[in-house]
Amino acid sequence: MNTKAFLWATLLALSSCSMPQQPGIDRHALVIRNNPHVTLVDTLASLSVGNGRFAFTADVTGLQTFPDSYKNGIPTGTLSKWGHYRSDLSRPFDLGVVGLELGREVTPADLTDIRQTLDLWNGRINSRFVCGDTMFSVLTTCHPELDLVSAAVVSKSRAGINLRFGLSDSLHTVEVVHFDVHSATLKHTLSGDTTVYYVTLGWEDEATLSAKEKNYFVLTPKSDTLRFACLFSVAEPKQTLPAFHETDSVATTYRHSFWEEGAAVDFSHCTDPRARELERRVVLSRYLLSIRPDAQWHEQAWLGLWGHEAMLDTVLHRYKEANDTVTPHPYLIYMVELFYRARPSANAVTRYAPLVERVVDSLCLQASYDGVRDRYLLKREVPAQDSLPAYTLTNPPFELSYLRFALQTAQQWRERGELLRRSEWDRLVSKLSMPAYTDYGLYLAAESAVDTYHNPRYADGHPMILAAVGLLPMSELIRADYMRNTLLWAWDNWNWSETQGWNYSLVAMNAARLNEPEHAVAALMMRRLGNIYLNNGYNYHNHNLRNGLSGNGALLVAVALMCAGWDDCGVVNPGFPKNGTWDVRWEGLKPLP
C-alpha cells in the first residue's frame, strides 16, 4: 500500500471539527435518562432486546402474550439473520411466539398497574403488571452470541409460559426430538417450504411441559418463579443452555461495551427545548440499529462515524458474500469509504477495492458522451426521487454529484492499492455535465425537467435535489448560492406531507453544509407524520411503515455531520446554531468526507 496514501488516510480519520476540551460524557447517565417507559397498553410501544443477529420483540407483558393485538402496531416477533424462507430468501419469518399463559379469555385490557422499562444500558426489559388480583414481574434479556432469549417470571398465579408456532398457518408441523427434566428440543418444519429449524426450551425451576394443542406447548411452573431460556437454531443443538443469570450477565457486559466503546453525543447542556427530544431519538436509534437483525445494510452507514467500524465491516462483508454475482448498489462506495477512513489498512484495500471497481464500472454504464457539447450525460432508469418519471430523466443533480464522488473515491482506492489511475474515469469527471438551473438561480430536478418550478410533481416525494450537497461534499459541480436558493425554495414549497423520516436528515445535512444551522435543526425536528419517533424510538412513517429503520440510520449520520462536520470544515458543531442554546458536547465521532 502506498505509504503517503496511508498516512493521509490516517490523518483524515483523526481529523474533525474538534470539540474544545470538555469533561468526559457520563455515558451511563446519558443512556438511562432516555430509557423508554410504558404505563399503559400501547401497541406502538413494543420493546425489543437483541444482538444484531437475533431480536425478540415483546408486548407490555415482557413476552409475546398478545401477538394478535399488536399486529397492527409494532408487531411482536422473534427474528434472526438466518430466518428466511428457503423458497424466498427475501422474506423473513417469525421463529415462534413465546408468551405468558394467561388464558384465552384474558386480553390486554385486563392488565392494570403497568410499569415497563427498556433498560438500555443493560439491554433488558423490566415488566410489572397486575392481571386479576396477581402481580407479575418479568425480566427479559437476550444472549449476545446465541439466538437465545431468556426470562425470569415471578407470579403467585404460576401461570407459566407458552411456545406457539404457525399462528397464521395450521399446516406447520412441530415434533419433539428431545425431552428431559429441564429441557426439550422441538423441530419445526414450515408448510409449503423445505425450511427446518430447531427450538430448544430450557428451564431451571421445577416445571412441566405439555402440548396444549397442535403446535402449542405450555411450560407450567411448580413454584412462583420460572426462569427459562429459548434457543433458536438451524441445526439441532448439543450444548446445555445457559442459566438466566449467566445470560443476563453476559448480555449486560456486551451492552455496556457497546455504549462505552462507541461515540456519544450529550444534549443535556442545551437550553433549546427541542434538544431533549433530539437526544432521545439519537440514543434510541443507536440501540435499535444495533439489535435488529433485519436492519438493511444501507441503514448502517452510521457505524463508520460512531466508532463501530468493526460492526460496519461485518455488514459490508455480509453484503459482499450475499451479492457477489450481482451488480452492487451504488451506495456501497460511500459506506466502504467510511470504513476505510475509520480504519485505514492495506487489508481493507485488498478486501474492498474489487467491490469499489465493480460499483464504479456499473455506474459508468449510465453515462453517455454528448459529442455536440463535449460532455457526459447521465440517465437513470429509476431516479432516486420517487416522484420523477423513470427512463426519460437526464442529469438529475444528486446522481451527477454521486457519480463524481464515486469516481474520485475509486481513483483514491486505486492509489491506496498502488495502482495507476484509470484515465477514462478522470476524463468522465472532467467532462461530466453540470446540474441545470433556472435563470434565477434554482437547480432543476433534472436537466430534462424544465418545468421543475411549475409542475407540482417535482416538489413531491424524496427531496433528492438537495442531496447533491449534504451527505455528499460540496464539489465543483455545485454553486453554493444556487443550492442555498434551492433549499429555501424547497423549505417553503415542498410537499412535506409525502416525505419519509430519512428525508428530514437529508435536508438537515444539506443545510449544515450551506451554513444554515437553524434550518438543519428545524429539518430534523420538523413536525410531520413521517418524522414521528415513537416511545420505543422507531421512526413512524405511516400506517403501512411503522417500524422501518431508514429514518433512524439517516438521523445518526446527520447528527455526526452536524457535530463533527466534514473534512476541513473548520467549525465546531457546524450544524447547530451559535445562539447560545445549543451547547452540544460529543466524543468519538468522525467527520464525513
Side-chain angles (χ1 to χ4, degrees):
M1 181 180 182
N2 184 284
T3 302
K4 182 179 179 181
F6 176 79
L7 291 174
W8 176 243
T10 303
L11 287 172
L12 284 178
L14 295 174
S15 67
S16 69
C17 304
S18 302
M19 283 286 295
Q21 189 65 37
Q22 301 278 5
I25 293 173
D26 184 341
R27 297 190 176 213
H28 178 257
L30 167 65
V31 172
I32 65 171
R33 66 174 173 254
N34 290 289
N35 285 342
H37 301 283
V38 178
T39 58
L40 50 80
V41 176
D42 178 0
T43 59
L44 289 172
S46 307
L47 302 177
S48 303
V49 290
N51 57 30
R53 299 173 306 280
F54 171 84
F56 181 87
T57 300
D59 59 30
V60 72
T61 67
L63 296 173
Q64 298 163 341
T65 308
F66 305 109
D68 288 340
S69 298
Y70 280 71
K71 63 184 179 182
N72 292 322
I74 304 298
T76 63
T78 309
L79 300 176
S80 74
K81 280 288 186 186
W82 52 263
H84 293 75
Y85 290 94
R86 290 183 182 177
S87 58
D88 183 0
L89 294 178
S90 67
R91 190 159 64 101
F93 58 81
D94 192 337
L95 299 177
V97 174
V98 183
L100 288 173
E101 182 65 10
L102 300 179
R104 294 189 187 278
E105 70 282 359
V106 176
T107 71
D110 296 317
L111 307 186
T112 60
D113 297 333
I114 295 168
R115 287 172 286 166
Q116 186 179 46
T117 298
L118 175 57
D119 180 355
L120 296 169
W121 184 255
N122 294 305
R124 64 165 78 104
I125 303 171
N126 299 297
S127 309
R128 294 175 67 87
F129 61 91
V130 172
C131 182
D133 296 325
T134 306
M135 170 67 75
F136 283 77
S137 173
V138 182
L139 188 60
T140 313
T141 189
C142 170
H143 199 283
E145 297 176 358
L146 303 173
D147 294 352
L148 180 149
V149 61
S150 189
V153 180
V154 179
S155 171
K156 293 186 180 299
S157 72
R158 303 182 183 181
I161 62 153
N162 56 53
L163 184 57
R164 294 172 280 170
F165 302 92
L167 294 182
S168 61
D169 188 345
S170 60
L171 297 179
H172 288 208
T173 59
V174 180
E175 59 179 309
V176 179
V177 296
H178 169 79
F179 181 82
D180 62 33
V181 177
H182 285 285
S183 69
T185 299
L186 312 176
K187 179 181 178 181
H188 184 202
T189 303
L190 277 68
S191 62
D193 195 275
T194 58
T195 304
V196 175
Y197 64 95
Y198 296 84
V199 182
T200 301
L201 185 64
W203 55 94
E204 302 170 47
D205 309 286
E206 190 174 357
T208 57
L209 181 68
S210 60
K212 182 173 182 177
E213 56 189 61
K214 182 179 175 64
N215 301 342
Y216 191 134
F217 301 85
V218 177
L219 182 65
T220 305
K222 295 186 178 181
S223 66
D224 295 350
T225 299
L226 177 61
R227 293 164 293 181
F228 71 91
C230 193
L231 171 70
F232 300 85
S233 57
V234 175
E236 185 174 353
K238 304 300 181 184
Q239 77 269 36
T240 301
L241 300 190
F244 171 78
H245 77 275
E246 295 173 326
T247 296
D248 188 51
S249 177
V250 294
T252 56
T253 299
Y254 170 80
R255 191 48 53 183
H256 293 173
S257 296
F258 170 78
W259 294 118
E260 291 169 347
E261 293 175 3
V265 182
D266 180 358
F267 291 87
S268 65
H269 302 277
C270 303
T271 57
D272 188 291
R274 297 168 293 181
R276 180 70 184 85
E277 170 61 12
L278 181 54
E279 180 184 273
R280 185 188 75 88
R281 296 181 180 191
V282 168
V283 171
L284 289 173
S285 293
R286 288 187 64 197
Y287 178 79
L288 291 172
L289 285 159
S290 73
I291 68 165
R292 284 274 296 272
D294 55 337
Q296 300 298 303
W297 63 268
H298 57 271
E299 296 164 343
Q300 300 285 33
W302 69 280
L303 293 169
L305 302 167
W306 284 76
H308 299 296
E309 47 274 1
M311 295 171 68
L312 177 58
D313 191 23
T314 299
V315 170
L316 293 170
H317 180 71
R318 285 175 178 163
Y319 179 93
K320 185 170 176 287
E321 290 284 308
N323 299 276
D324 192 48
T325 60
V326 300
T327 302
H329 194 282
Y331 191 40
L332 278 169
I333 283 188
Y334 198 94
M335 294 183 65
V336 168
E337 179 66 8
L338 292 184
F339 172 72
Y340 181 83
R341 288 161 60 93
R343 188 176 287 185
S345 70
N347 180 57
V349 174
T350 301
R351 293 175 62 194
Y352 292 120
L355 181 62
V356 171
E357 297 258 336
R358 287 175 56 209
V359 174
V360 172
D361 284 339
S362 67
L363 285 173
C364 289
L365 295 176
Q366 300 172 13
S368 59
Y369 183 64
D370 173 10
V372 175
R373 299 179 61 180
D374 188 27
R375 62 172 185 160
Y376 281 93
L377 303 173
L378 182 60
K379 294 186 177 181
R380 286 292 300 271
E381 293 183 357
V382 181
Q385 183 172 334
D386 51 343
S387 64
L388 300 186
Y391 302 104
T392 61
L393 209 66
T394 301
N395 289 339
F398 168 68
E399 282 82 349
L400 286 171
S401 291
Y402 192 83
L403 177 57
R404 186 180 192 277
F405 172 84
L407 288 165
Q408 292 183 320
T409 301
Q411 295 285 39
Q412 293 176 354
W413 275 77
R414 290 186 65 83
E415 292 173 347
R416 291 164 185 165
E418 300 184 349
L419 298 175
L420 295 176
R421 296 173 67 90
R422 286 176 56 172
S423 59
E424 68 270 28
W425 291 355
D426 282 335
R427 172 180 167 80
L428 206 166
V429 169
S430 67
K431 295 182 177 295
L432 190 61
S433 297
M434 304 285 284
Y437 48 83
T438 68
D439 292 339
Y440 38 95
L442 292 169
Y443 280 110
L444 298 177
E447 185 175 309
S448 54
V450 294
D451 57 342
T452 293
Y453 295 95
H454 304 285
N455 188 337
R457 76 176 298 177
Y458 293 114
D460 198 17
H462 310 316
M464 298 306 298
I465 194 170
L466 302 179
V469 174
L471 180 70
L472 298 175
M474 184 68 71
S475 73
E476 296 175 358
L477 293 180
I478 303 296
R479 283 188 53 164
D481 55 341
Y482 285 9
M483 183 55 71
R484 183 176 291 104
N485 294 343
T486 307
L487 166 66
L488 298 178
W489 183 92
W491 192 267
D492 292 333
N493 296 281
W494 204 267
N495 182 13
W496 296 109
S497 63
E498 295 299 320
T499 50
Q500 297 182 5
W502 62 271
N503 297 163
Y504 304 96
S505 295
L506 177 156
V507 175
M509 289 187 281
N510 174 273
R513 295 256 196 187
L514 296 172
N515 193 29
E516 294 283 343
E518 290 82 2
H519 281 97
V521 172
L524 286 188
M525 307 307 295
M526 191 179 293
R527 293 179 177 270
R528 292 292 187 277
L529 177 63
N531 202 32
I532 292 172
Y533 283 72
L534 301 173
N535 181 47
N536 48 26
Y538 285 112
N539 175 208
Y540 181 99
H541 298 303
N542 53 52
H543 179 72
N544 296 318
L545 186 56
R546 303 181 295 275
N547 62 340
L549 295 170
S550 59
N552 300 93
L555 171 68
L556 295 178
V557 174
V559 170
L561 179 140
M562 292 167 69
C563 290
W566 50 91
D567 298 339
D568 301 321
C569 73
V571 180
V572 176
N573 291 339
F576 293 98
K578 304 300 184 286
N579 58 11
T581 67
W582 286 96
D583 182 7
V584 183
R585 303 184 184 186
W586 54 269
E587 56 194 26
L589 292 172
K590 296 178 177 63
L592 275 69

